[in-house]
Amino acid sequence: MDRPDSQNDDTACIRTQVEQSGEREHSVPMFMTSSFTFNDAEQARALFAQEEEGNIYSRFTNPNVEEFVEKMCALEGVEEGLATASGMAAVFTTFAAHLEQGDEVLASRYLFGSTHKLLTQVFPKWGISHTYGDIHDLSEWEDLVTPETKFVYVETPSNPTVDLIDLEWMGTFCDRHDLIYIVDNCFASPVLQKPAQYGADIIIHSATKYIDGQGRGVGGVVVGNEEYLEPIQSFARHSGPALSPFNAWMFSKSLETLDVRMEKHSRSALDVAQHLQEREDVKFVRYPFLESHPQYELAQKQMSGGGGILSFAVEGGIERGARFLDALEMCSLTANLGDSRTIATHPASTTHSKLTEDERRAVGILPGLVRVSVGLEAPEDIKADLDQALDRSAQ
Ligand code: PLP
């Protein structure tokens, strides 16, 4: 799988492949095997002693998983990675591998619901605490660092309000305080945003979203340079959050089209956002590449496209919002995002229902907020479905 130095990332996503098996196959086969055989007892010993490189057991390594991880490392511009059974397994494994009793996490308040749940209800059981910082007032972060702070954890754009964090500012801040800088890059994908360029030490993805891109498989991946990844890989080897070879094969295949998919998701989402913004019954639309987004300049600086997610609020509150969702004919009502099919979600009652009403309000998740993951259908058909549902729900 040696990659020429001159190769571009999108080429690496297509051309990084496991060695041919001897059948002269053009596309990579699936290695659906729990374990790998040893030539003799000496090789078994050497592999276990890590004196020789090679596969032993698919909880540790597997060729399909390795191929997927290599592609993600190429895209994010880092050295090492670990693929996991879900995005949350990637988050959990990262925290569990690095943190010790007494450590503190300084995180953005704008987090995915399950990450918030880990910080507020799971890690405190092991003596790991957290503090939330406001992403719109970065000056307050200086006062939130304590001698126990070890991690800074941020998501940008955030789920579901698409608020942004200044990745460069945060990189300098983490350097100044010697903190491990972690970015959940799930909404942008490495095609639109590369946090390592701004100093991120660890980058996390739910592969379930744009990496799979077609709503078929659950998985996750965490990447970064060796210093930060080695403890995570070692923890995972024994705690077992491994990704299945089948899902790794599927994600690796999907990465071949990530670049073109993200381009269309971004183009269509901007079109839909501009369209919704013109409707009088839409209170506001949030989309990073919409000029009305309060952080439009920052989006232009750190993202090469706005991505596929927007959120908006309708006039008429939660009841109208519910009628709107029920009136959709083509768009799917489901809790996923990053799919080829357009999806509408009501975050307050689904993805962010784990937060209290006050916690949701603090991060802009109003009761009537709708999140749309703009898919790869013709944008005219997406707009037509949203329009008819808005019209019908007004009555
Ligand atoms: N991070 C973000 C920003 C997400 O939106 C999600 C899921 O929606 C996750 C992490 C968790 O990923 P998974 O559902 O694959 O565990």
Side-chain angles (χ1 to χ4, degrees):
M1 280 201 273
D2 281 346
R3 174 185 174 185
D5 287 344
S6 61
Q7 198 169 66
N8 290 302
D9 293 349
D10 41 1
T11 308
C13 264
I14 295 168
R15 291 288 171 181
T16 302
Q17 279 189 261
V18 171
E19 265 172 45
Q20 276 189 328
S21 70
E23 293 291 339
R24 292 177 291 102
E25 72 276 1
H26 188 204
S27 303
V28 175
M30 235 183 271
F31 289 84
M32 293 299 289
T33 177
S34 323
S35 64
F36 299 82
T37 55
F38 310 115
N39 294 335
D40 50 35
E42 170 49 24
Q43 190 189 31
R45 187 206 62 76
L47 282 165
F48 268 89
Q50 296 183 302
E51 289 167 11
E52 185 179 327
E53 270 192 26
N55 296 301
I56 299 175
Y57 187 59
S58 286
R59 166 156 51 84
F60 307 163
T61 56
N62 171 284
N64 294 119
V65 177
E66 207 183 314
E67 182 188 280
F68 167 53
V69 169
E70 269 202 39
K71 288 182 176 186
M72 285 305 298
C73 290
L75 278 174
E76 290 287 12
V78 294
E79 295 163 355
E80 287 288 334
L82 173 86
T84 53
S86 69
M88 286 320 298
V91 177
F92 179 82
T93 306
T94 301
F95 280 51
H98 275 279
L99 297 175
E100 288 172 17
Q101 189 176 18
D103 285 343
E104 208 170 282
V105 177
L106 174 52
S108 148
R109 196 181 296 282
Y110 292 63
L111 288 185
F112 176 60
S114 292
T115 310
H116 169 76
K117 188 97 171 169
L118 281 184
L119 287 174
T120 53
Q121 291 181 32
V122 177
F123 288 113
K125 289 197 293 187
W126 300 315
I128 296 163
S129 59
H130 74 282
T131 316
Y132 281 144
D134 191 328
I135 58 177
H136 299 296
D137 182 11
L138 293 174
S139 63
E140 77 165 37
W141 285 60
E142 296 288 344
D143 300 329
L144 300 177
V145 179
T146 73
E148 282 70 45
T149 312
K150 187 157 180 191
F151 269 8
V152 161
Y153 189 92
V154 300
E155 238 179 79
T156 182
S158 69
N159 181 0
T161 51
V162 291
D163 285 285
L164 307 185
I165 286 175
D166 189 331
L167 286 172
E168 188 175 17
W169 185 94
M170 206 50 88
T172 314
F173 169 78
C174 289
D175 260 2
R176 199 163 51 245
H177 294 283
D178 198 20
L179 302 171
I180 300 177
Y181 179 18
I182 307 171
V183 178
D184 180 331
N185 199 25
C186 168
F187 263 43
S189 93
V191 167
L192 303 181
Q193 176 174 275
K194 296 189 192 296
Q197 290 177 345
Y198 300 102
D201 300 309
I202 297 175
I203 299 138
I204 292 180
H205 286 275
S206 163
T208 320
K209 309 298 183 298
Y210 288 109
I211 291 168
D212 175 48
Q214 291 162 66
R216 301 297 199 277
V218 173
V221 63
V222 44
V223 298
N225 287 339
E226 194 180 351
E227 174 188 2
Y228 300 101
L229 258 291
E230 196 285 319
I232 299 172
Q233 290 164 330
S234 158
F235 178 83
R237 195 174 165 99
H238 303 293
S239 57
L243 179 66
S244 85
F246 178 81
N247 280 15
W249 176 86
M250 191 168 57
F251 295 149
S252 186
K253 180 170 83 62
S254 291
L255 284 181
E256 295 181 17
T257 56
L258 182 67
D259 198 44
V260 283
R261 285 187 284 110
M262 291 317 294
E263 203 180 304
K264 180 159 185 195
H265 279 299
S266 299
R267 209 174 338 113
S268 298
L270 179 60
D271 184 3
V272 172
Q274 283 167 337
H275 178 76
L276 286 173
Q277 192 171 237
E278 278 160 22
R279 287 194 59 118
E280 285 193 351
D281 54 353
V282 170
K283 269 207 268 194
F284 65 84
V285 185
R286 296 296 294 276
Y287 180 70
F289 269 36
L290 210 53
E291 280 180 43
S292 58
H293 190 291
Q295 296 165 300
Y296 173 75
E297 302 292 330
L298 180 60
Q300 296 287 317
K301 178 183 149 199
Q302 65 189 30
M303 299 175 76
S304 59
I309 317 288
L310 60 92
S311 56
F312 70 96
V314 282
E315 295 288 354
I318 192 160
E319 290 78 17
R320 167 89 187 280
R323 286 204 304 279
F324 161 75
L325 290 172
D326 289 345
L328 287 167
E329 285 172 355
M330 182 189 80
C331 299
S332 316
L333 275 193
T334 177
N336 200 16
L337 59 91
D339 198 307
S340 53
R341 288 155 290 191
T342 298
I343 293 169
T345 308
H346 180 234
S349 63
T350 59
T351 52
H352 290 71
S353 56
K354 293 159 206 84
L355 278 67
T356 64
E357 172 84 38
D358 284 346
E359 285 169 341
R360 279 195 295 272
R361 279 199 181 274
V363 292
I365 306 176
L366 305 175
L369 192 81
V370 174
R371 182 186 78 194
V372 180
S373 166
V374 176
L376 300 176
E377 306 97 336
E380 292 70 31
D381 293 328
I382 303 169
K383 288 185 285 186
D385 193 29
L386 297 174
D387 276 344
Q388 69 77 26
L390 282 167
D391 292 342
R392 285 207 289 144
S393 62
Q395 293 141 24

